[in-house]
Amino acid sequence: MKQILTFLAILVGLQIKADEGMWAIHNFHHIVPDSPICFYSTNGPSLKDAVVAIGEGGSGSFISRTGLVLTNLHVIKSLIAKDNEAEKVLTNGFCSSPAIPELKLEGLYLKILVRTIDVSAEISQGLSKGQKWSSLVKETCLRYKPIEEDNRQEIKREFFGANHFLHEYAIIKDVRLVYCPPQTMASYGGDTANWHWPRMSADFAILRVYIKGNGEKSLPFSPKLYLKISENAITPGEKVYVLGYPRGTSYDWISADAHESFLLSMIRRTEVLGLRMSVINRNIHRLSAGDRIPWERYVSSLNNERLKNLGRVSGFLRYMILEKLIAKEDSCGLLLRQNERDKYQEFCVLRNKADSLVRLINPLLESDDDYRQSVQAIQSINSAGLVRNKKKFTDDILNLLVDKVFRTSNVVIEKAVTKELLAYLHNKNSVFTPMEIKQGKIGVNDYVDKIYKNSVLVEKDKVLSILSGNQSVKNDPAMMFLEYTDSIYESAVGQSLVTYANQLKVVREKILIMLHDCGFTNWSGTNGTLRVSYGKTGTQCWSTNLNKEICKAWANYGYQLRYDKSSDKQVVLNFTTDCHTTGGNSGSPVVNEYGELVGLNFDRKIDGLCGDYYYLPSVCQNICVSIDYIIKILSSKDNSKLILKELCI
């Protein structure tokens, strides 16, 4: 038995020490012989200066000294959609020229990492004295004054509270669209291709950022470092790095978290997403072609989330993630028992306590899912929430939130969605079913018809009018439904769930600290800071020049991508790597061992979504657009060749 446990510890240890992880760039010390790459420096140009955060949800990179930034189209698509010419831009693509000005993307900003400072000592000392987090952050930021007055400072907690780092960012708010391909080519294959391989997508966009010059005139920003385009085509087995601002994985799961309730919760969410999609698809055929477009985009986003949930569940089961988490903890326990008996006893107590807390949390999860996935998916509930909480937001933020709630505005379809969601809750006897329906006084359809007939919170213009005035909506049926569901949630679910979850968080972190101290966790969970993952390129999707299917598709938009079957030159369209990526890595540059840009990350293979909880290099493959394909596209139309000239190609 002892030999088996020893072998288990060695096996798990080898897995953990594989080339995996999302390493903080200031702590990344992976040395490549004869490589010119400098990842982090405050004394000279380094890769931290070339990689940017696109708002708070994506990544990008500088590709010219004149402020050009490369990212994914899907990262900025929602911002393009706000423009009056959005449909034309997304349908036909966009390319600026002397006659066509760049398109200003309102609300978008970029973050560039200026420096990272270890403030662990100050934070630990303040916390030990009972100082409030907000005042401690403010005090620490004042101690380290920003290099530039307008820079932003953020303090992030890492390694379960053992370390704290202050990150300073330069913020650029003048961002304009220079180029994007047609949406159908960026997401070639549509929803059925998402999260799947092989792919032939051209999911990229080129931006330009500006700063104020002398006389307040806007000038293109000149970065300290920009990525140069690789002259050589990507090949399988190359060493590559993916740099970006991920926030979708924390790598802080323990075996207690992986209870079957997790899978059931993901399946419930998938079911509700499917219900919403089916209702919309049954109704949008009545709309005009133009009115269908925003709904089709909405369905696409729902389907994207649905597939992500399914991928996590299937990968979790197929690759036995629960068993791997248990094996890691068993191995840690073995090492502690051999070397530190007191810690071993504590470790066992913590694992048992975690299991007990999860058993208390599990019965609450279904109601929590009903509340978050069904109740809060109802448009009138969201608009009622904005009205009730309007004092918490500025006018500008309120207007943005109203736009988000009513991004797809059609009373007939929204009413149909509400009926489907309430029927779903009623059929499963959910605690959030309205009392009148529970008691049989009114049917679901009549209840929803009543809300839409009598509520002023189902139309965008009326909601905006209420927010700008002092009109009372206390007795509005939508507001009453909101208050009813909120009171049920707080009394039956919310307080208990928060209590148990906070207790589990404390226990989980103590377990994770022990795993880290024993060498089973080597990097800190992602938190929106600049990270590096590394690995090798894998399979490729390529053609001889470009195949007839792709050429014909591009020709529909005026691009002359030539098909020459006699040529042996391979054009790589998309390729995979085994670098660790997650949400927030969309738009991340893929660079080779010489620091040259070879690709652009945009997706993952569906089974590899389990990498959000446990990384397996052979399974967790990310999908990238080849820089060769991007150059081929830009060179196939006269007006986009100006961009190549700017890139010195």
Side-chain angles (χ1 to χ4, degrees):
M1 183 67 179
K2 184 176 181 179
Q3 289 178 331
I4 293 174
L5 289 174
T6 302
F7 173 76
L8 185 63
I10 294 172
L11 176 62
V12 174
L14 288 173
Q15 289 178 334
I16 297 301
K17 293 179 184 302
D19 287 355
E20 54 82 20
M22 299 182 188
W23 307 89
I25 195 167
H26 62 276
N27 279 333
F28 186 64
H29 304 297
H30 180 62
I31 304 300
V32 179
D34 302 321
S35 174
I37 298 178
C38 174
F39 288 94
Y40 178 90
S41 175
T42 55
N43 298 321
S46 60
L47 283 181
K48 76 170 177 60
D49 303 307
V51 183
V52 300
I54 308 290
E56 300 298 329
S59 304
S61 57
F62 287 112
I63 54 173
S64 80
R65 61 170 56 91
T66 48
L68 290 182
V69 172
L70 183 67
T71 188
N72 293 144
L73 176 57
H74 81 256
V75 169
I76 60 167
K77 185 173 67 172
S78 61
L79 291 161
I80 295 174
K82 295 179 180 179
D83 192 85
N84 293 331
E85 298 293 318
E87 300 304 333
K88 182 179 179 181
V89 169
L90 292 172
T91 300
N92 300 317
F94 177 83
C95 186
S96 64
S97 68
I100 303 175
E102 297 168 355
L103 183 65
K104 180 73 178 291
L105 297 178
E106 298 292 345
L108 181 61
Y109 62 91
L110 303 187
K111 292 165 53 177
I112 308 169
L113 180 61
V114 175
R115 60 176 178 168
T116 295
I117 303 171
D118 188 344
V119 293
S120 302
E122 293 96 319
I123 298 296
S124 296
Q125 185 178 18
L127 292 175
S128 66
K129 294 179 179 179
Q131 192 170 351
K132 290 184 178 180
W133 175 256
S134 57
S135 63
L136 184 55
V137 168
K138 184 177 181 180
E139 180 183 296
T140 305
C141 289
L142 287 173
R143 185 177 295 116
Y144 299 95
K145 292 184 179 180
I147 294 174
E148 297 290 339
E149 184 178 351
D150 294 331
N151 286 357
R152 179 186 299 177
Q153 293 178 312
E154 300 174 1
I155 293 180
K156 296 288 187 176
R157 180 175 184 269
E158 295 188 4
F159 286 115
F160 327 114
N163 299 108
H164 290 83
F165 293 94
L166 184 152
H167 305 278
E168 182 177 335
Y169 299 98
I171 307 296
I172 304 181
K173 297 182 179 180
D174 190 347
V175 186
R176 308 178 195 182
L177 179 66
V178 174
Y179 176 90
C180 73
Q183 169 63 26
T184 54
M185 301 309 298
S187 57
Y188 194 79
D191 289 342
T192 57
N194 202 25
W195 306 110
H196 287 81
W197 178 258
R199 297 287 288 278
M200 296 184 287
S201 302
D203 192 351
F204 75 100
I206 298 175
L207 314 173
R208 194 190 308 277
V209 293
Y210 289 84
I211 57 173
K212 294 292 184 182
N214 295 330
E216 294 300 301
K217 181 180 179 181
S218 295
L219 299 173
F221 176 73
S222 182
K224 292 181 179 179
L225 183 75
Y226 65 90
L227 300 179
K228 295 181 179 179
I229 307 298
S230 174
E231 296 180 0
N232 301 313
I234 194 72
T235 57
E238 281 195 45
K239 293 179 181 178
V240 287
Y241 304 87
V242 174
L243 300 97
Y245 287 81
R247 59 178 64 251
T249 182
S250 58
Y251 205 68
D252 60 357
W253 266 45
I254 57 177
S255 61
D257 292 313
H259 191 274
E260 64 181 12
S261 59
F262 156 74
L263 301 178
L264 292 173
S265 178
M266 298 295 278
I267 292 169
R268 282 194 296 268
R269 296 177 196 179
T270 302
E271 181 181 16
V272 174
L273 290 167
L275 287 174
R276 292 163 64 186
M277 289 171 56
S278 64
V279 176
I280 295 169
N281 286 329
R282 287 199 304 268
N283 285 275
I284 60 173
H285 70 276
R286 305 171 186 172
L287 304 177
S288 66
D291 290 339
R292 279 200 303 270
I293 291 175
W295 283 101
E296 288 170 347
R297 290 196 186 120
Y298 183 44
V299 169
S300 179
S301 67
L302 293 176
N303 191 53
N304 181 62
E305 188 65 26
R306 183 182 70 89
L307 289 172
K308 182 190 291 185
N309 289 341
L310 288 173
R312 285 172 170 167
V313 171
S314 63
F316 204 87
L317 291 171
R318 182 176 180 182
Y319 300 107
M320 302 174 67
I321 302 303
L322 172 58
E323 288 73 16
K324 288 179 170 61
L325 291 169
I326 292 173
K328 181 166 68 172
E329 291 169 22
D330 286 346
S331 300
C332 182
L334 173 65
L335 293 177
L336 290 173
R337 189 175 71 177
Q338 291 175 339
N339 302 311
E340 299 181 72
R341 297 288 297 186
D342 290 342
K343 282 193 174 182
Y344 169 68
Q345 295 295 335
E346 181 186 357
F347 187 70
C348 292
V349 170
L350 289 169
R351 291 183 73 183
N352 290 332
K353 190 172 183 179
D355 287 333
S356 298
L357 287 167
V358 166
R359 293 180 188 279
L360 292 171
I361 289 171
N362 287 342
L364 302 171
L365 281 182
E366 184 169 1
S367 293
D368 188 64
D369 285 336
D370 286 346
Y371 178 74
R372 298 186 184 282
Q373 305 302 319
S374 296
V375 174
Q376 293 192 333
I378 297 173
Q379 190 180 72
S380 58
I381 289 289
N382 282 292
S383 60
L386 287 180
V387 171
R388 187 179 65 181
N389 299 301
K390 68 176 185 177
K391 292 182 179 180
K392 296 180 180 180
F393 306 102
T394 64
D395 290 342
D396 289 341
I397 296 298
L398 272 176
N399 288 331
L400 288 173
L401 291 173
V402 171
D403 285 342
K404 185 175 181 179
V405 169
F406 289 93
R407 60 181 172 181
T408 48
S409 186
N410 181 286
V411 171
V412 174
I413 298 178
E414 289 296 346
K415 186 191 292 188
V417 171
T418 303
K419 288 179 178 179
E420 191 76 25
L421 291 173
L422 285 185
Y424 168 78
L425 294 174
H426 181 46
N427 291 336
K428 66 199 299 283
N429 198 29
S430 170
V431 295
F432 299 106
T433 305
M435 189 59 67
E436 302 97 308
I437 297 175
K438 282 184 183 179
Q439 296 173 347
K441 295 180 180 179
I442 191 172
V444 169
N445 290 348
D446 290 339
Y447 180 86
V448 175
D449 287 339
K450 181 181 176 182
I451 287 180
Y452 273 81
K453 180 181 179 181
N454 299 316
S455 176
V456 296
L457 299 172
V458 297
E459 295 182 30
K460 182 177 180 179
D461 290 342
K462 290 182 179 179
V463 171
L464 287 171
S465 176
I466 292 168
L467 290 172
S468 62
N470 295 309
Q471 181 180 344
S472 174
V473 290
K474 185 176 181 180
N475 296 320
D476 185 279
M479 182 64 74
M480 293 172 68
F481 183 32
L482 169 70
E483 292 176 349
Y484 170 75
T485 53
D486 279 2
S487 66
I488 293 292
Y489 183 81
E490 287 302 319
S491 62
V493 183
Q495 292 180 356
S496 297
L497 190 59
V498 169
T499 299
Y500 297 145
N502 285 337
Q503 291 176 10
L504 179 60
K505 179 182 178 182
V506 173
V507 173
R508 181 191 296 114
E509 289 199 346
K510 290 180 179 178
I511 292 174
L512 289 168
I513 288 171
M514 291 186 175
L515 288 169
H516 173 259
D517 291 344
C518 289
F520 291 94
T521 304
N522 295 320
W523 56 277
S524 179
T526 59
N527 52 14
T529 56
L530 183 53
R531 300 299 177 102
V532 184
S533 61
Y534 66 100
K536 293 184 178 181
T537 55
T539 54
Q540 299 179 338
C541 180
W542 62 274
S543 66
T544 302
N545 278 354
L546 289 160
N547 62 37
K548 290 182 179 179
E549 177 189 348
I550 290 290
C551 287
K552 185 177 180 180
W554 280 109
N556 293 332
Y557 301 100
Y559 288 80
Q560 301 302 314
L561 276 75
R562 297 177 181 175
Y563 172 68
D564 182 3
K565 64 182 180 181
S566 65
S567 173
D568 291 328
K569 180 174 175 55
Q570 295 178 0
V571 175
V572 177
L573 306 179
N574 296 163
F575 64 92
T576 66
T577 86
D578 61 2
C579 297
H580 197 171
T581 61
T582 187
N585 273 124
S586 290
S588 287
V590 184
V591 301
N592 62 19
E593 57 187 321
Y594 305 106
E596 300 167 332
L597 185 65
V598 296
L600 182 66
N601 180 76
F602 73 95
D603 204 0
R604 289 181 284 169
K605 292 171 67 172
I606 192 164
D607 277 357
L609 294 172
C610 65
D612 287 348
Y613 314 110
Y614 193 99
Y615 181 69
L616 299 168
S618 61
V619 174
C620 301
Q621 304 283 297
N622 62 306
I623 306 173
C624 315
V625 187
S626 165
I627 198 67
D628 288 351
Y629 189 26
I630 294 174
I631 298 303
K632 187 79 172 180
I633 293 166
L634 294 175
S635 62
S636 63
K637 202 172 184 180
D638 287 341
N639 60 353
S640 55
K641 290 180 180 178
L642 292 173
I643 298 173
L644 295 179
K645 185 176 181 181
E646 195 170 347
L647 297 176
C648 300
I649 295 176

